[in-house]
Amino acid sequence: MTEMLENRPGGPRTPDPRLLAECLRACAECAQVCNACADACLAEEMVADLADCIRIDLDCAGICATTSAVLSRTGTTGPATASLLHACIAACAACAEECQQHASMHQHCRICAEACRRCLNACEKLLLSLG
Amino acid sequence: MTEMLENRPGGPRTPDPRLLAECLRACAECAQVCNACADACLAEEMVADLADCIRIDLDCAGICATTSAVLSRTGTTGPATASLLHACIAACAACAEECQQHASMHQHCRICAEACRRCLNACEKLLLSLG
Amino acid sequence: MTEMLENRPGGPRTPDPRLLAECLRACAECAQVCNACADACLAEEMVADLADCIRIDLDCAGICATTSAVLSRTGTTGPATASLLHACIAACAACAEECQQHASMHQHCRICAEACRRCLNACEKLLLSLG
Amino acid sequence: MTEMLENRPGGPRTPDPRLLAECLRACAECAQVCNACADACLAEEMVADLADCIRIDLDCAGICATTSAVLSRTGTTGPATASLLHACIAACAACAEECQQHASMHQHCRICAEACRRCLNACEKLLLSLG
């Protein structure tokens, strides 16, 4: 994907292409990890206690996947990019907080909280670079 | 989908279920219409003049589809719902404005601008109902 | 969306536009209903018994949403359309079967099984029209 | 994501977890690269000649993203997984073929054709492992 960003006719669609590449990587990873965490929660005996965690995982996965699609197509030039990054940050912050509460009991929640924090940070840095 | 919202165990996930149902309908329609408008733009002779319109169509389609998925699952109770509705409003406003500029030349852009305005209004009403 | 299909420059992208319109409607509805059923299952006391139902709901929701996006953009002319319709039929058949088993206990599963059968039928009719 | 797959309660959801991890990586990359190629095509002067390429890019991006979501959640155990992998293979094959035709003129099409072939291969290997 890095090679792709470097070969765009007309140049990259963002002030700092490295931040865009990092955000794309983090969004794609977070979408997968959140979906996997939802499935892992469903495989736990205490699934009833994890119902909200599953919902938050799924919403975060969907929002990260869409952020990935929009950023990979229009970079940070789209008219809804900034507000979509805000939504992605809100989803990742909520998911990181929820999963962190179960992190000592469930490895998948610990891993998911980490992926959400990485994605949150990457989105915030990208958003800051837009000025 | 209305029947589904009325049969949720524990009750609806939003203060005003009619506004949620209306928003779900508008998001699903807008996602399809924006995708169809992108394809129709690609079929125009003057496609080079419509490149930005196509990009905005596609971003709007993706954001509306994700808003539809999140709202149909977690109603308006999710921690990222409000910011996702803001992103959907921004995407619909931009797409309505862009398509309106081509509305007199292209029927598909006129229809798309109307669907975007309906979706924008439905999202704003739902957001207002959250207080 | 019907108005959109009728106004495409170059004409509709499928032999029978009514079947395409019907399939688009069924896919969009099924995606939302399956997501809502997953959430409703998570709200049941016996959620542990519904873990597979939730997974099947979510897969079906995602596949229906993508089928809706692809069909609304490229009609039935795309090189992957037929195999995507087959995947959508497989997902809807599995979800209808799973939800039907819980239909007498959970209204949301009964409604979901019905939406899946409608979507399955609409996909099959559209696929048949392609010859 | 590899760490996530190794920590699933009840074990991995597929016969060969390395093939699943490889397929997840390839699908996520291909989804982003196809979206970026669609945008790059829209930035070319000869965009009218690339209309079909853009459509095929977008369909491939959507199908790869959904395959990524389904595989990250239910591994290869879902009832629609095999047919979804077939759809992903069809989409990647068509996109690789289309983009290869423009590969000598457009770097982004060359890169996209390569990503599609990697994804196609990863999906085929995963499908074969299911027996």
Side-chain angles (χ1 to χ4, degrees):
Chain A
M1 189 60 195
T2 307
E3 195 187 357
M4 197 68 173
L5 292 174
E6 286 163 359
N7 279 285
R8 188 178 179 277
R13 285 182 154 287
T14 195
D16 187 336
R18 276 184 322 162
L19 293 180
L20 178 58
E22 182 52 35
C23 194
L24 283 168
R25 199 168 10 243
C27 282
E29 184 198 42
C30 195
Q32 290 188 341
V33 168
C34 284
N35 271 320
C37 187
D39 165 67
C41 286
L42 284 169
E44 297 286 352
E45 280 181 45
M46 56 188 302
V47 53
D49 297 338
L50 296 167
D52 275 337
C53 188
I54 294 168
R55 288 183 181 107
I56 290 170
D57 274 337
L58 295 171
D59 285 359
C60 192
I63 294 171
C64 287
T66 297
T67 305
S68 163
V70 168
L71 291 178
S72 58
R73 212 162 40 225
T74 39
T76 53
T77 64
T81 306
S83 53
L84 185 59
L85 283 170
H86 278 295
C88 198
I89 288 167
C92 288
C95 197
E97 190 187 340
E98 175 68 31
C99 277
Q100 189 60 43
Q101 294 179 29
H102 317 289
S104 59
M105 286 190 64
H106 305 304
Q107 286 288 311
H108 52 86
C109 282
R110 178 187 60 75
I111 298 166
C112 189
E114 288 167 12
C116 288
R117 282 190 293 261
R118 273 195 298 277
C119 189
L120 185 160
N121 285 334
C123 288
E124 283 187 341
K125 278 184 194 163
L126 186 61
L127 200 53
L128 273 173
S129 76
L130 306 183
Chain B
M1 190 60 196
T2 308
E3 196 188 356
M4 198 66 172
L5 292 175
E6 286 163 359
N7 279 284
R8 188 179 179 276
R13 286 183 154 287
T14 196
D16 188 336
R18 276 185 321 163
L19 293 181
L20 177 58
E22 183 53 34
C23 193
L24 283 169
R25 200 167 10 244
C27 282
E29 184 198 42
C30 195
Q32 291 187 340
V33 168
C34 285
N35 271 320
C37 186
D39 165 69
C41 287
L42 284 169
E44 297 286 353
E45 279 181 46
M46 55 188 303
V47 53
D49 298 339
L50 295 168
D52 276 336
C53 189
I54 293 168
R55 288 183 182 108
I56 290 171
D57 275 337
L58 294 171
D59 286 358
C60 192
I63 294 171
C64 286
T66 296
T67 306
S68 165
V70 168
L71 291 179
S72 58
R73 212 162 38 224
T74 41
T76 53
T77 63
T81 307
S83 54
L84 185 59
L85 284 170
H86 278 296
C88 197
I89 289 168
C92 287
C95 197
E97 191 186 339
E98 175 69 31
C99 277
Q100 189 60 43
Q101 295 178 29
H102 318 289
S104 59
M105 286 191 63
H106 305 304
Q107 285 288 311
H108 52 86
C109 282
R110 178 187 60 74
I111 298 167
C112 190
E114 289 167 12
C116 288
R117 283 191 292 261
R118 273 194 299 276
C119 190
L120 185 160
N121 285 335
C123 289
E124 282 188 340
K125 277 183 195 166
L126 187 61
L127 200 54
L128 274 174
S129 77
L130 306 183
Chain C
M1 189 61 195
T2 308
E3 195 187 357
M4 198 68 172
L5 292 175
E6 287 163 359
N7 279 285
R8 188 179 179 277
R13 285 183 155 285
T14 196
D16 187 336
R18 275 185 322 162
L19 293 180
L20 177 58
E22 182 53 34
C23 194
L24 283 168
R25 196 164 16 238
C27 282
E29 184 198 40
C30 195
Q32 290 188 340
V33 168
C34 285
N35 271 320
C37 187
D39 164 68
C41 287
L42 284 169
E44 297 287 351
E45 281 180 44
M46 55 189 302
V47 52
D49 297 338
L50 296 168
D52 275 337
C53 189
I54 294 168
R55 288 182 182 108
I56 291 171
D57 274 337
L58 294 170
D59 285 358
C60 193
I63 295 171
C64 287
T66 296
T67 306
S68 164
V70 168
L71 291 178
S72 58
R73 211 161 40 223
T74 40
T76 54
T77 63
T81 307
S83 54
L84 185 58
L85 284 170
H86 278 295
C88 198
I89 288 167
C92 288
C95 198
E97 191 185 339
E98 175 69 30
C99 277
Q100 189 60 44
Q101 294 178 31
H102 317 290
S104 59
M105 285 191 64
H106 306 304
Q107 286 288 310
H108 52 85
C109 282
R110 178 186 61 73
I111 298 167
C112 189
E114 289 168 11
C116 288
R117 283 191 293 262
R118 273 195 299 276
C119 189
L120 184 161
N121 285 334
C123 288
E124 282 187 341
K125 277 184 195 164
L126 186 61
L127 200 54
L128 274 174
S129 77
L130 307 182
Chain D
M1 189 61 196
T2 307
E3 195 188 358
M4 197 67 173
L5 291 175
E6 287 163 359
N7 279 285
R8 188 180 178 276
R13 286 183 154 287
T14 194
D16 187 336
R18 276 185 321 164
L19 293 181
L20 178 57
E22 182 52 34
C23 194
L24 284 168
R25 199 167 11 243
C27 282
E29 184 198 40
C30 195
Q32 291 187 341
V33 169
C34 284
N35 271 320
C37 187
D39 165 68
C41 287
L42 284 169
E44 297 286 353
E45 280 181 44
M46 56 189 302
V47 53
D49 298 338
L50 295 169
D52 276 336
C53 190
I54 294 167
R55 289 183 182 107
I56 290 170
D57 275 337
L58 294 171
D59 286 358
C60 193
I63 294 171
C64 287
T66 296
T67 305
S68 164
V70 167
L71 291 178
S72 58
R73 213 163 36 226
T74 40
T76 54
T77 64
T81 307
S83 53
L84 185 59
L85 284 169
H86 278 296
C88 197
I89 289 167
C92 288
C95 197
E97 191 186 339
E98 176 69 31
C99 277
Q100 189 60 43
Q101 294 179 29
H102 318 289
S104 59
M105 286 190 64
H106 306 303
Q107 287 287 311
H108 51 85
C109 282
R110 179 187 60 74
I111 299 167
C112 189
E114 289 167 11
C116 288
R117 283 191 293 261
R118 273 195 299 275
C119 189
L120 185 160
N121 286 334
C123 288
E124 281 188 339
K125 277 184 195 163
L126 186 61
L127 200 53
L128 274 174
S129 77
L130 307 183

